[in-house]
Amino acid sequence: MSGDPYSGAASRWASGASLVYGPAAEALVRRCPHPLEGRLVLDAGAGTGAATAPLVAAGARVVAVDRSAGMLGWRAADRPPSVVADVRALPLGDDAVAAAVAAFVLNHLPDPVRGLAELGRVTRRGGAVLASVFATDFRSALRDRVDAAAADAGWQVPDWYLAMKADTVPLVGDAPAMARAAREAGLDDVAAEQCTVDVGIERAEQLVDYRFGQAPFAAWLDALGVRRAGDVRSAAVAALPARVAYRPRVVVLVARAR
Ligand SMILES: C[S@@+](CC[C@H](N)C(=O)[O-])C[C@H]1O[C@@H](n2cnc3c(N)ncnc32)[C@H](O)[C@@H]1O
């Protein structure tokens, strides 16, 4: 992927996409097999800090890394230290952190084994390496209706998003593939499973704000302007039943560095 598809996405991500990514990150961090209190933990592909928040709540000291300066810059003064870097070439020494969390970033990598190996390198022996991605077999007719409402208003699926779905998402998009990648990366005690996460999305407005908060919509919504973007949001909400129950399926990896 060239360029930064997240460069203008931070504000909508933090207020919209995080409705799902926040609870999903919380569920991931809860799986950590050892205490986090007082320990230095890496949030890799941190974005606007969905996983940083539960890590801090668990008492961890966090260092965040992301390829997107725009995402890391979101409310940076209120967040732990961060550095713009690729998760496959982390600017950290061996055994630098007690644990590493990679929430919904491995799906961006053409070489997720390299990313996982790098997480293992910087995590001290026995420390947790936690990762999550959306399962490739997860479908939502309701989310598709939101996309259709956007398409009716002129949204076109960005090429980078199509390429990601076709090329990199499947590499770790089911539990066996994730487990294979983690073992190949040299991680220990590898456990990968697919689970449904109750992210608490119950209303049409929440589902639309989540979906429109994602990066593929950011540039398009910005170009529409506030009033027109509001009209599109209303049309998408009207395309849904008032009550929705959006429960994504997620592949979760819990492993240890060796
Ligand atoms: C789907 S978002 C997830 C953000 C955050 N972890 C969350 O759960 O809300 C993916 C993030 O990974 C970052 N990213 C993509 N490829 C990356 C790479 N090779 N190295 C570091 N960050 C990357 C993007 O900039 C983006 O912030």
Side-chain angles (χ1 to χ4, degrees):
M1 190 195 308
S2 63
D4 174 12
Y6 286 84
S7 66
S11 158
R12 281 198 180 84
W13 192 278
S15 62
S18 293
L19 291 169
V20 165
Y21 286 88
E26 266 179 55
L28 178 64
V29 168
R30 268 201 303 273
R31 286 175 179 252
C32 187
H34 58 68
L36 292 166
E37 177 93 43
R39 309 217 176 152
L40 185 62
V41 179
L42 170 66
D43 183 358
T48 57
T52 293
L55 287 170
V56 169
R61 293 175 296 122
V62 176
V63 58
V65 166
D66 198 287
R67 212 178 57 155
S68 172
M71 293 292 267
L72 281 186
W74 172 252
R75 302 218 164 132
D78 302 328
R79 294 171 56 188
S82 64
V83 55
V84 176
D86 195 301
V87 72
R88 295 164 295 178
L90 291 166
L92 295 169
D94 296 355
D95 307 330
V97 297
V101 176
F104 303 97
V105 60
L106 296 178
N107 47 296
H108 283 284
L109 306 182
D111 43 8
V113 172
R114 194 168 143 206
L116 284 162
E118 189 64 347
L119 296 176
R121 178 187 69 77
V122 302
T123 303
R124 73 176 185 226
R125 188 183 172 86
V129 174
L130 308 174
S132 57
V133 298
F134 290 116
T136 43
D137 67 2
F138 173 64
R139 301 273 182 279
S140 164
L142 293 173
R143 190 192 55 196
D144 289 349
R145 281 200 225 170
V146 178
D147 289 13
D152 286 347
W155 176 66
Q156 291 183 330
V157 189
D159 288 345
W160 70 264
Y161 188 69
L162 289 172
M164 181 183 83
K165 290 279 183 200
D167 300 337
T168 60
V169 164
L171 300 177
V172 281
D174 58 63
M178 179 69 95
R180 230 175 7 254
R183 286 195 192 97
E184 226 179 289
L187 299 178
D188 251 353
D189 293 347
V190 170
E193 68 169 282
Q194 212 152 301
C195 52
T196 300
V197 183
D198 182 354
V199 291
I201 296 269
E202 309 288 353
R203 292 181 292 108
E205 289 84 356
Q206 291 174 304
L207 179 56
V208 171
D209 289 342
Y210 152 65
R211 188 62 178 151
F212 283 180
Q214 290 195 286
F217 295 91
W220 177 69
L221 288 170
D222 282 349
L224 284 186
V226 175
R227 184 182 302 178
R228 182 84 184 98
D231 291 344
V232 177
R233 177 184 184 270
S234 301
V237 169
L240 297 174
R243 306 294 301 173
V244 303
Y246 186 72
R247 303 282 182 267
R249 280 185 70 68
V250 173
V251 178
V252 174
L253 170 71
V254 179
R256 289 189 189 257
R258 66 159 81 127

